[in-house]
Amino acid sequence: MKIINYLKEILKKRFNRENFLAYIKIFGCQQNEADAEKICGFLKFLGFNFTDDILVADLILFETCAVRHTAEEKILAHIGNLKNIKKANNNIFIAICGCMVEQENIRNYIQEKFGFIDLICGAKIIENFPELFYEKLTGKKLNNFCNIHVSQVLQKNKFKAWVPIISGCNNFCSYCIVPYVRGPEKSKDYNQILDYCKKIIKNGSKIITLLGQNVNSYFYNNFNFSDLLKEIDNINGEFAIRFMTSHPKDFNKNLVDTLASLKHFSNHLHLPVQSGNNKILKFMNRKYTREEYIEKINYAREKIKNLVITSDIIVGFPGETNLEFEDTVSLIKKIQFASIFNFIYSPRVGTAAFNMQDNISHDEKVRRISKIIKIQEKISQEFLSGFVGTNLKVVIEENFANKSIARSKSNLIIELEEKFNVGDIISVKIISSKRNSLIGKKI
Ligand code: 5AD
Ligand code: SF4
């Protein structure tokens, strides 16, 4: 506690006040949300509160993403905009964390171009944020025996919990930077995960999302992902289990059978297919075929009723011909996903695909993604209209003006014309459907 108090004194002097404000901006995936919640827990412990107004913040922290170049460009522009804020008040502390700054070339670029940044902390060393923060602020090295990890995760939504179960990735899909910026797979302690789940469920978490780049690879002391799911399912309480992301190559019948046996499974499966063409899947190093993917989906749909399946698609992978792209179109039509995330292929330095010949024009890539978006829009609308007249159990997520936004167990968004308490679970009747959401009324 001595070092925490010392750190608080330093902060009081630096910011010239008793209570501090932090502005946190998160780019990218749920893993980043989870990492940010850990950092926020630490900051809260030090006496920070959180603000959406960057202009009143003492500390500004960006949790960055490196998956696509467009994300990086956007983040760099945001970082550039911080220059004037720092100029106006040099005491403001600016930290840039996450995957983007795990890349050495970007780190060097930021240090050179934006010398006003106080702390850079890449995704692989995010666990060390407290030490780095301490060292930067005090100018002193932290003694090995001092434990600064005394804070708890600060959930943004009390009823919605991210639970990282495995970090890193060993798959090396040829387009993907993640294995480089997050490192090799490492499963977290089985009992610690279970204890954490018990605690958050007791404290009111209603949606438990198990996180990892490939959750199916979870393996700790002979316990695999199915073991973990069954054990969490046995915890007493009203909650739904979600997980992301599953890799289709490891998504097998055993896992489907386990999911079918769970009381708390959310019935939502995010299974990124990326492409519907076998040649492209091979070049992507995905290690499954179109046919295998379809077979897995068919088995899952047969065993688990009302399964909501979503996916990720990349268009314009190097060398993808129009005919090969059309295989992706036909797969989307065949599977009828509830929704998909679409991406134009983005070359990432250091990945295998970076050296493959990318001869598709930007206009053509835009044409392909637009085509998919249009087709999927129709499929999603039809999928949603199928819920009209049915009843769903939902958890209230947010309130706007006179409305509440809720989420079903299977991750569908439901708008309600009345206001309820955030975190409440209620039953609703679906009265109509929109493009991306449903309209419901409390029963
Ligand atoms: N270009 C475009 N999309 C990518 N993704 C990952 N890497 C790239 C890239 N280089 C997409 C994949 C993945 C999702 C998280 O991001 O579809 O499933
Ligand atoms: Fe990237 Fe593939 Fe690993 Fe997913 S499984 S993080 S797409 S390398």
Side-chain angles (χ1 to χ4, degrees):
M1 278 319 281
K2 240 168 108 184
I3 41 167
I4 296 289
N5 287 336
Y6 174 59
L7 193 48
K8 280 184 182 170
E9 286 310 313
I10 298 272
L11 290 167
K12 277 181 199 165
K13 269 191 209 139
R14 174 161 179 150
F15 301 140
N16 200 19
R17 52 175 161 179
E18 296 285 316
N19 297 300
F20 329 120
L21 279 176
Y23 171 91
I24 314 286
K25 192 163 178 69
I26 305 167
F27 301 85
C29 66
Q30 286 82 2
Q31 185 59 54
N32 272 3
E33 305 257 357
D35 286 346
E37 287 189 351
K38 232 183 214 167
I39 293 176
C40 286
F42 173 67
L43 294 175
K44 180 99 196 161
F45 194 71
L46 292 177
F48 279 89
N49 279 312
F50 300 91
T51 175
D52 290 331
D53 182 358
I54 196 166
L55 296 175
V56 301
D58 302 297
L59 179 144
I60 298 169
L61 185 143
F62 288 178
E63 184 60 40
T64 65
C65 172
V67 169
R68 281 168 294 275
H69 181 63
T70 41
E72 287 189 344
E73 273 186 327
K74 196 167 104 188
I75 297 165
L76 287 171
H78 277 281
I79 296 176
N81 289 339
L82 299 178
K83 193 172 177 179
N84 285 335
I85 293 180
K86 186 80 177 178
K87 220 179 197 172
N89 179 358
N90 194 41
N91 287 338
I92 289 173
F93 191 95
I94 302 180
I96 311 293
C97 305
C99 291
M100 189 179 89
V101 290
E102 193 52 60
Q103 305 164 94
E104 203 185 340
N105 58 334
I106 302 264
R107 244 185 351 249
N108 292 341
Y109 176 80
I110 291 179
Q111 268 155 358
E112 219 167 84
K113 184 134 192 241
F114 310 113
F116 57 86
I117 303 292
D118 294 279
L119 176 61
I120 293 180
C121 177
K124 276 186 204 162
I125 54 164
I126 205 76
E127 300 275 344
N128 303 114
F129 180 86
E131 282 92 352
L132 295 172
F133 187 66
Y134 175 92
E135 288 175 10
K136 190 73 207 184
L137 273 161
T138 61
K140 290 181 188 164
K141 277 261 172 259
L142 195 60
N143 183 319
N144 279 343
F145 300 105
C146 290
N147 184 9
I148 202 163
H149 293 260
V150 279
S151 55
Q152 297 181 345
V153 169
L154 183 69
Q155 283 176 241
K156 200 169 167 193
N157 269 324
K158 203 169 167 268
F159 62 93
K160 224 170 146 181
W162 308 118
V163 181
I165 62 164
I166 175 168
S167 62
C169 183
N170 294 346
N171 290 312
F172 290 93
C173 300
S174 64
Y175 50 80
C176 185
I177 191 107
V178 169
Y180 305 91
V181 291
R182 289 230 173 233
E185 280 172 3
K186 195 159 178 266
S187 294
K188 301 200 186 283
D189 186 291
Y190 190 73
N191 287 319
Q192 274 178 16
I193 297 173
L194 288 175
D195 287 347
Y196 183 65
C197 287
K198 280 177 198 157
K199 190 179 95 185
I200 54 179
I201 289 167
K202 202 168 155 209
N203 285 345
S205 287
K206 303 281 197 285
I207 305 172
I208 310 293
T209 305
L210 306 179
L211 287 182
Q213 303 302 334
N214 182 10
V215 287
N216 311 76
S217 306
Y218 179 82
F219 197 75
Y220 190 90
N221 279 359
N222 279 330
F223 293 113
N224 64 21
F225 185 48
S226 285
D227 297 327
L228 185 64
L229 285 170
K230 284 184 211 156
E231 197 90 50
I232 295 173
D233 195 54
N234 277 333
I235 300 174
N236 278 334
E238 195 175 18
F239 63 95
I241 305 172
R242 294 179 59 205
F243 53 85
M244 52 195 333
T245 298
S246 278
H247 193 304
K249 82 172 159 60
D250 303 313
F251 183 76
N252 55 29
K253 289 189 173 173
N254 274 343
L255 178 56
V256 172
D257 294 345
T258 297
L259 294 176
S261 75
L262 301 180
K263 300 182 288 291
H264 295 280
F265 178 44
S266 65
N267 273 20
H268 172 223
L269 184 63
H270 184 61
L271 203 61
V273 67
Q274 314 296 359
S275 165
N277 175 269
N278 284 338
K279 192 192 99 188
I280 297 296
L281 285 172
K282 198 160 186 331
F283 279 130
M284 285 178 163
N285 193 29
R286 290 291 287 178
K287 300 196 175 85
Y288 55 84
T289 62
R290 171 194 177 94
E291 293 73 25
E292 283 162 357
Y293 185 86
I294 294 171
E295 202 191 312
K296 287 177 191 226
I297 296 278
N298 286 346
Y299 185 75
R301 279 184 165 153
E302 191 185 299
K303 290 278 162 170
I304 307 164
K305 293 288 156 269
N306 302 321
L307 189 59
V308 173
I309 304 173
T310 58
S311 200
D312 293 345
I313 299 282
I314 297 177
V315 302
F317 185 81
E320 183 190 65
T321 64
N322 190 37
L323 270 179
E324 287 157 1
F325 163 70
E326 285 299 326
D327 281 343
T328 300
V329 173
S330 77
L331 185 80
I332 290 171
K333 287 182 179 164
K334 184 171 174 67
I335 303 269
Q336 299 271 308
F337 295 108
S339 65
I340 49 180
F341 294 103
N342 301 288
F343 308 106
I344 288 180
Y345 166 74
S346 172
R348 307 280 57 213
V349 176
T351 61
F354 189 75
N355 299 319
M356 296 179 191
Q357 188 131 24
D358 180 8
N359 52 6
I360 311 162
S361 72
H362 183 68
D363 285 356
E364 174 58 14
K365 288 175 185 167
V366 172
R367 184 194 70 81
R368 289 181 192 177
I369 199 167
S370 310
K371 179 165 181 175
I372 284 186
I373 290 171
K374 216 166 143 204
I375 289 168
Q376 181 59 39
E377 235 172 52
K378 213 169 143 241
I379 296 172
S380 294
Q381 264 176 28
E382 268 169 34
F383 168 79
L384 288 175
S385 67
F387 286 89
V388 176
T390 65
N391 298 338
L392 289 176
K393 227 181 191 182
V394 300
V395 49
I396 308 297
E397 219 172 79
E398 269 178 286
N399 283 325
F400 288 109
N402 297 324
K403 275 188 185 179
S404 279
I405 307 291
R407 204 174 278 267
S408 74
K409 219 175 156 189
S410 55
N411 210 29
L412 304 173
I413 295 168
I414 295 100
E415 293 176 26
L416 301 160
E417 297 291 344
E418 270 175 274
K419 246 178 147 171
F420 300 93
N421 292 328
V422 169
D424 278 2
I425 294 181
I426 59 169
S427 289
V428 298
K429 189 175 193 75
I430 304 303
I431 46 177
S432 62
S433 66
K434 299 212 299 195
R435 254 188 189 197
N436 301 313
S437 58
L438 298 165
I439 313 282
K441 217 175 162 56
K442 185 176 181 217
I443 305 174

